[in-house]
Amino acid sequence: PGVPLYLTLLAPLLETQDLDLAADAARKRARELPERAELPILAERIARLDQELSTAAAARRALETEEDELGRAVSPLAAEIEAAELERDSGKHKGRDAADQHDVSQAALRERKAALEEREMELLEAVEEIEGRISAHESEIDRCRGERERLEDVIREAEAEVQVEVARLGEARGGLVGQLPPTIVAAYERVRGQERNRGRGAAALTDKRCGACRIELPSLECRKMLEAPADALIQCPQCRRVLVREN
């Protein structure tokens, strides 16, 4: 006897499933690229650095404002000290009391001026320290953005490769599906689309067993399946996968 007609007719269904599973695996690779998991981590780090940079810049502006105010305060003090010295040198303070009063006043002015200048130095050092932090943050942000671009390039390249692979598999699949009865294809697609079946909508019927769930069919039921027309839709009574008869 020759090869049963159903073997010739439905054999492409299992090949179609192999192609579908290969396409599913390719898409999964693209979805689960490790670079994808790194992107949100980088985004969070960039956002945190941006916030820290903004805070540091605000602190620098506050220090610079205080530094400007101190500069405006020191300038008239220096002018006042200089004017008092010129006045003394001109001989206007002739009495001892006037000279003593002048010295006390000058000492107070110089002490105040020294305190302001000391604060100015502290502010300059604080600004310098903040500018160092700002520079470090900016460098790290640039590095993170560069790394993000690299990861995005890797993802785009992988996605492009997957698209090519899926297109090739789809073209081969189209040639196989065209050989199958529409009712068989529709049932296969319906079962394959159910999440619990993990993309498998067909299975071989071998030695009275479903190749997917491995249930052993009763002899009578199995014989009826084997005797059904070549284009008959036969499904496993347990998992509902389309069965391709092999014996």
Side-chain angles (χ1 to χ4, degrees):
V3 176
L5 179 59
Y6 55 70
L7 287 181
T8 303
L9 185 64
L10 297 186
L13 183 60
L14 294 179
E15 296 179 49
T16 297
Q17 179 165 264
D18 288 340
L19 294 174
D20 285 339
L21 291 173
D24 290 345
R27 295 187 189 96
K28 183 179 180 182
R29 287 199 309 274
R31 289 194 306 272
E32 297 180 357
L33 286 169
E35 287 79 7
R36 291 192 190 279
E38 295 179 43
L39 282 177
I41 297 173
L42 270 177
E44 182 180 353
R45 176 159 180 74
I46 290 172
R48 185 171 65 252
L49 287 168
D50 278 337
Q51 181 59 48
E52 292 175 359
L53 185 62
S54 177
T55 300
R60 179 177 62 183
R61 287 194 297 272
L63 290 174
E64 288 173 342
T65 298
E66 184 180 355
E67 184 184 356
D68 289 342
E69 291 173 352
L70 284 174
R72 288 193 294 272
V74 167
S75 182
L77 278 177
E80 186 176 352
I81 291 170
E82 183 179 0
E85 290 298 316
L86 289 173
E87 185 178 359
R88 186 187 65 177
D89 293 343
S90 67
K92 290 184 178 181
H93 301 297
K94 298 180 180 179
R96 180 65 183 174
D97 289 344
D100 290 344
Q101 185 178 359
H102 167 81
D103 291 342
V104 170
S105 175
Q106 286 292 81
L109 290 174
R110 287 193 173 91
E111 183 177 354
R112 185 180 174 194
K113 179 173 176 288
L116 293 177
E117 289 174 339
E118 182 178 357
R119 178 56 183 162
E120 276 188 303
M121 290 301 299
E122 292 174 354
L123 290 174
L124 287 172
E125 291 174 0
V127 168
E128 185 177 351
E129 188 274 333
I130 287 178
E131 287 179 341
R133 278 194 284 138
I134 288 174
S135 178
H137 282 356
E138 289 174 340
S139 296
E140 180 62 8
I141 288 172
D142 288 343
R143 187 197 70 79
C144 287
R145 286 174 176 165
E147 177 65 6
R148 181 178 61 187
E149 290 178 4
R150 185 190 71 80
L151 293 175
E152 289 172 344
D153 287 342
V154 170
I155 291 171
R156 279 193 294 270
E157 183 177 347
E159 287 177 338
E161 292 175 356
V162 166
Q163 286 177 353
V164 171
E165 182 178 356
V166 169
R168 177 183 60 79
L169 293 169
E171 185 177 354
R173 182 189 195 275
L176 293 171
V177 169
Q179 305 172 35
L180 296 166
T183 53
I184 299 292
V185 175
Y188 163 76
E189 296 283 10
R190 184 172 58 254
V191 176
R192 166 178 155 76
Q194 295 172 2
E195 186 175 353
R196 67 176 182 273
N197 292 327
R198 298 181 180 180
R200 296 178 180 272
L205 175 60
T206 308
D207 296 329
K208 301 180 183 180
R209 289 186 180 276
C210 169
C213 67
R214 304 305 298 167
I215 184 177
E216 183 175 358
L217 304 176
S219 297
L220 179 59
E221 186 172 359
C222 188
R223 186 170 68 250
K224 288 181 179 179
M225 289 181 177
L226 293 174
E227 292 174 352
D231 60 352
L233 172 59
I234 298 173
Q235 294 179 269
C236 173
Q238 177 166 284
C239 69
R240 305 305 298 163
R241 287 181 174 86
V242 178
L243 293 176
V244 176
R245 293 163 283 176
E246 293 187 353
N247 54 32

